[in-house]
Amino acid sequence: MVDYQYKGPVLFVDDELHIRLSAKQTLELAGFDVVCLETAEDALKQIQQGWPGIVISDIKMPNMDGLAFMEAAHKIDRNLPIILITGHGDVTMAVQAMRDGAYDFIEKPFPSELLSDVAGRAMEKLSLLRENRALREKLKSQSGVSSNFLGKSHPMEYLRNLIANISDTDTDVLVVGETGTGKEMVARCLHDNSSRSNGHFVAVNCGAMPDSIFESELFGFEPGAFPGTTNRRIGKIEYSSGGTLFLDEIEALPMSMQVKLLRVLQERSIERLGSNTVIPLNLRIVAASKANLLDEVEKGNFREDLYYRLSVVVIETPPLRDWREDIPVLFQHFVEEAAQRMSRDANEIKQGQLQALMQHNWPGNVRELKNAAERYVLSCGQNPLTMRLSSTSSDEQNLPEKVEAFEKGLIMQALEKSNGCIKDAMEILGIPRKTLSDKLKKYEIDRADFT
């Protein structure tokens, strides 16, 4: 039997005395604090929202039976794990009860090891839910830092504290980290928790913008600046004045634009293309890079003076493999989030699956973990580390099912590469916007999961 760490109180409800005594002895030997009650009505008096334990109840009892008891208990706390005890003839009823929210059921007569094991697994699930809830509440009180930064590991605590300390300053920031570690989330959090939050947050992906339009997009232009231009255009730098300009993949910025950006940082002003008027700026720049910019400086690909202008404060977003202890809570959070968004059940995460998640290297970091949680929900609790969304094996799938699975995989890969940008995903896939939109709806893919 697995030794589960969290062992909160257990309410054991059964109208037969000898079963109550036997269960109490078994569970106490396993380390649980057990309260045995004869009726469901007495048990309901013990339960309140956020009660830190689980319930094990017989189905057939006088007055209020186990099913009615479960319904009433879940009205008090919908996350309360309830295990039902059933006779052989009630198995079908118990299976339906699981669909209605029961954690599990045990069929009479049951060995003592089974009772302890099921109780331990229910406690483990409750522990994750409680930890998740506690982290959310803690994060709400930390200077408004986004509750998306879940976790109690040292890297996450350090990251949250650093963001909270520098959010409400005008200091330019460089965010460095691997793909999928939440660099844009850090930038948005710095903006949202600063006095600039009422201004615009303008995100520019330097790696996705063609060189030919870079300058006009960033600086804007006056009518007549180019052949055929009759209207003034406000550039992204000017538009972000009073707010925050986020420059993602800054390492891809062309050298010619690096010179112009350096001048903006020094002067805090710009001139639109085709104009001699100097426009003062009030902005904060947050740049992000997945590359080592000092290495790029050594290679001659990035200006040293620009690097030191941008890196007044450097925030490193840690790779997920460096805070593995937070993976169970984080995955549970993403599962609940995906299940609510897609109106699906949040299936129980098995201990073996959690162990596999902890051992995985996560090259795609938190973004990969979030996608795995969505696949887990869509596949009704199947292996979250596989792209296969059907419980049917590939050999058992017919041709249309294989084609759909392949198509969905290609779309998800395109969104992954484009960071959720529909325009870029259209170009990668070579399909019109309406076609992509229809397929996103068909396969229940939310592009926001990839941004």
Side-chain angles (χ1 to χ4, degrees):
M1 184 183 70
V2 179
D3 184 19
Y4 298 96
Q5 292 185 351
Y6 180 75
K7 293 182 178 178
V10 178
L11 276 183
F12 188 91
V13 189
D14 196 296
D15 60 324
E16 297 184 61
L17 178 60
H18 71 280
I19 293 179
R20 294 200 301 273
L21 293 176
S22 175
K24 183 178 178 66
Q25 183 181 36
T26 296
L27 293 170
E28 286 182 343
L29 285 173
F32 295 102
D33 180 16
V34 187
V35 175
C36 290
L37 297 169
E38 185 176 355
T39 68
E41 290 86 350
D42 288 339
L44 280 176
K45 296 175 183 177
Q46 304 289 323
I47 299 170
Q48 56 189 359
Q49 175 67 35
W51 188 68
I54 65 169
V55 175
I56 304 174
S57 173
D58 193 13
I59 286 183
K60 289 197 172 180
M61 294 185 293
N63 299 322
M64 179 182 286
D65 65 18
L67 298 177
F69 167 59
M70 181 181 73
E71 183 180 357
H74 278 163
K75 287 181 180 178
I76 299 173
D77 187 342
R78 65 182 183 86
N79 292 319
L80 176 65
I82 297 179
I83 301 164
L84 297 174
I85 301 173
T86 175
H88 178 71
D90 299 327
V91 171
T92 302
M93 183 192 304
V95 170
Q96 181 59 47
M98 287 185 66
R99 292 173 182 159
D100 294 337
Y103 173 79
D104 205 344
F105 71 91
I106 303 173
E107 185 180 354
K108 293 178 182 178
F110 51 84
S112 58
E113 294 82 4
L114 176 62
L115 178 65
S116 300
D117 185 57
V118 174
R121 286 190 286 107
M123 284 291 183
E124 191 72 10
K125 178 184 180 182
L126 180 64
S127 176
L128 287 172
L129 290 171
R130 285 169 54 80
E131 193 171 355
N132 202 344
R133 188 184 302 130
L135 282 169
R136 287 200 199 100
E137 292 301 318
K138 182 179 179 181
L139 293 176
K140 287 178 183 177
S141 64
Q142 287 190 342
S143 304
V145 174
S146 171
S147 60
N148 287 318
F149 292 105
L150 286 172
K152 61 179 182 180
S153 62
H154 175 71
M156 280 298 101
E157 289 282 1
Y158 179 81
L159 181 62
R160 284 195 295 266
N161 290 335
L162 181 56
I163 292 172
N165 287 336
I166 68 171
S167 286
D168 206 15
T169 68
D170 288 333
T171 305
D172 294 330
V173 178
L174 176 63
V175 187
V176 295
E178 296 178 8
T179 297
T181 52
K183 296 187 289 296
E184 182 168 352
M185 191 183 300
V186 170
R188 287 187 180 275
C189 200
L190 288 169
H191 173 78
D192 291 341
N193 293 283
S194 73
S195 57
R196 298 179 172 275
S197 58
N198 291 328
H200 297 120
F201 177 87
V202 181
V204 178
N205 189 321
C206 300
M209 190 177 294
D211 292 357
S212 58
I213 65 170
F214 226 120
E215 189 171 10
S216 60
E217 282 292 311
L218 288 183
F219 288 85
F221 52 81
E222 293 288 344
F226 307 106
T229 56
T230 57
N231 298 316
R232 171 183 293 167
R233 177 177 175 82
I234 302 299
K236 293 186 181 298
I237 295 177
E238 183 180 350
Y239 188 65
S240 65
S241 186
T244 303
L245 177 65
F246 174 58
L247 299 174
D248 197 10
E249 296 188 33
I250 189 71
E251 70 275 12
L253 194 67
M255 190 63 73
S256 60
M257 289 302 303
Q258 291 182 30
V259 177
K260 298 181 188 301
L261 179 61
L262 179 62
R263 183 173 180 83
V264 170
L265 286 166
Q266 291 172 334
E267 304 295 334
R268 297 290 163 168
S269 63
I270 63 163
E271 295 176 14
R272 300 191 195 107
L273 299 182
S275 172
N276 293 321
T277 303
V278 176
I279 302 171
L281 299 172
N282 170 25
L283 81 160
R284 179 192 210 177
I285 293 180
V286 179
S289 174
K290 62 178 181 290
N292 186 320
L293 288 185
L294 285 177
D295 287 347
E296 296 301 307
V297 169
E298 289 291 325
K299 295 174 185 176
N301 297 329
F302 202 84
R303 293 181 62 98
E304 185 176 17
D305 47 3
L306 178 58
Y307 169 77
Y308 286 111
R309 277 284 181 178
L310 289 170
S311 60
V312 178
V313 174
V314 178
I315 297 178
E316 294 187 28
T317 52
L320 186 55
R321 60 183 174 274
D322 287 353
W323 45 298
R324 293 177 187 271
E325 61 267 40
D326 288 330
I327 287 175
V329 170
L330 198 60
F331 187 74
Q332 176 75 39
H333 168 72
F334 288 146
V335 166
E336 292 176 6
E337 193 178 64
Q340 184 177 16
R341 187 177 66 250
M342 295 183 287
S343 299
R344 301 271 185 116
D345 291 331
N347 293 278
E348 176 203 352
I349 305 168
K350 299 178 177 63
Q351 191 68 19
Q353 291 173 328
L354 285 177
Q355 291 172 356
L357 293 173
M358 295 278 284
Q359 293 167 2
H360 186 58
N361 200 41
W362 300 108
N365 294 294
V366 177
R367 183 183 300 153
E368 183 186 357
L369 181 68
K370 188 172 184 178
N371 291 342
E374 180 170 327
R375 291 196 298 273
Y376 181 80
V377 172
L378 290 172
S379 63
C380 301
Q382 298 301 310
N383 183 2
L385 293 177
T386 178
M387 284 296 293
R388 187 173 297 144
L389 295 174
S390 171
S391 59
T392 306
S393 71
S394 178
D395 291 336
E396 294 172 341
Q397 288 179 317
N398 57 36
L399 181 59
E401 289 172 338
K402 290 181 179 180
V403 170
E404 288 186 353
F406 182 70
E407 187 177 62
K408 180 170 183 176
L410 288 178
I411 293 171
M412 293 176 71
Q413 289 175 20
L415 289 169
E416 186 81 21
K417 289 179 181 177
S418 64
N419 293 323
C421 175
I422 294 295
K423 182 180 178 181
D424 292 345
M426 288 163 46
E427 293 177 358
I428 293 171
L429 295 167
I431 59 177
R433 179 181 290 272
K434 186 176 187 307
T435 302
L436 179 56
S437 178
D438 291 342
K439 291 186 181 297
L440 292 178
K441 291 179 182 177
K442 176 182 178 181
Y443 297 123
E444 298 181 316
I445 299 173
D446 187 352
R447 75 172 187 87
D449 292 338
F450 300 86
T451 58

